[in-house]
Amino acid sequence: MTKAVGLLIATLLFVTGCSAVSEKLPALAGRVVDDADLLDAKNEAALSSKLANAERLFGAQFVVVTVPSLGGQSIEDFTLGLGNAWGIGDAERDDGMILLVAPNERRVRIEVGYGLEGMFPDAICQSIIDEAILPHFKDGNMPQGINDGVDRILDRMRVSKPQASNDNRIGANTWMAA
């Protein structure tokens, strides 16, 4: 009987923990989700316009997300969970991308679907973070860091030109994660 009660408690804790994690994810409200309130309306609109234009030109879906906290998760797990929950990218091409900033933990991540890994391997993503984003963050200018990171990513897309898909509405496709 004690084992059964222990198993029940463990199961309830696991289910409660999983639902708590999903509750911490922000809602997909557009191409820029600024829950950490790092961007003013002008910056947010300019970024949204750039991302919409890039999606029309290249097909890959790219969203920028800021969150006040990762809720105790690693940035890798948080970003993958977000991509899975939101369904970013074309399901067949798996071409979704998220730039995530968590200022309280001082963490930044560029997460890409498998279809973009050839264009954006980990080393390239890290160099974008190190060279285009972090110098501005260290100077206290988070909007400029986000903007420069997006510009660097879009410049790389222009050179590599991923194939456009027929259906790139945000949330219309699924994210394929590891």
Side-chain angles (χ1 to χ4, degrees):
M1 181 80 123
T2 306
K3 287 183 180 180
V5 171
L7 183 59
L8 176 63
I9 290 171
T11 303
L12 288 173
L13 287 173
F14 176 76
V15 170
T16 303
C18 288
S19 65
V21 166
S22 67
E23 289 174 11
K24 294 177 185 175
L25 297 177
L28 178 61
R31 290 176 176 86
V32 178
V33 177
D34 184 26
D35 278 11
D37 201 27
L38 302 177
L39 304 166
D40 62 24
K42 183 179 177 181
N43 280 320
E44 192 171 328
L47 282 170
S48 291
S49 178
K50 282 183 195 182
L51 297 173
N53 189 45
E55 190 174 320
R56 278 189 297 279
L57 291 173
F58 312 122
Q61 290 182 328
F62 176 17
V63 294
V64 172
V65 183
T66 71
V67 294
S69 174
L70 299 170
Q73 294 185 71
S74 70
I75 194 164
E76 296 83 3
D77 289 345
F78 189 93
T79 310
L80 281 173
L82 194 60
N84 283 324
W86 285 357
I88 303 299
D90 180 87
E92 289 183 28
R93 287 192 326 271
D94 194 9
D95 61 354
M97 176 180 277
I98 297 175
L99 169 61
L100 183 102
V101 178
N104 288 350
E105 287 91 348
R106 300 172 58 94
R107 299 292 308 211
V108 179
R109 179 158 179 87
I110 298 170
E111 185 69 50
V112 300
Y114 290 126
L116 292 176
E117 282 185 345
M119 187 184 327
F120 292 98
D122 291 344
I124 294 294
C125 292
Q126 192 60 53
S127 72
I128 292 169
I129 291 169
D130 291 344
E131 296 168 11
I133 299 174
L134 291 183
H136 294 292
F137 283 13
K138 289 175 183 174
D139 289 340
N141 193 345
M142 299 194 82
Q144 189 63 52
I146 293 168
N147 192 57
D148 283 4
V150 167
D151 285 347
R152 181 76 75 81
I153 290 167
L154 297 180
D155 286 345
R156 187 156 180 89
M157 284 184 178
R158 280 183 200 94
V159 171
S160 302
K161 296 187 183 172
Q163 300 247 359
S165 79
N166 294 328
D167 188 8
N168 278 324
R169 292 171 290 128
I170 290 182
N173 306 301
T174 40
W175 177 284
M176 305 297 286

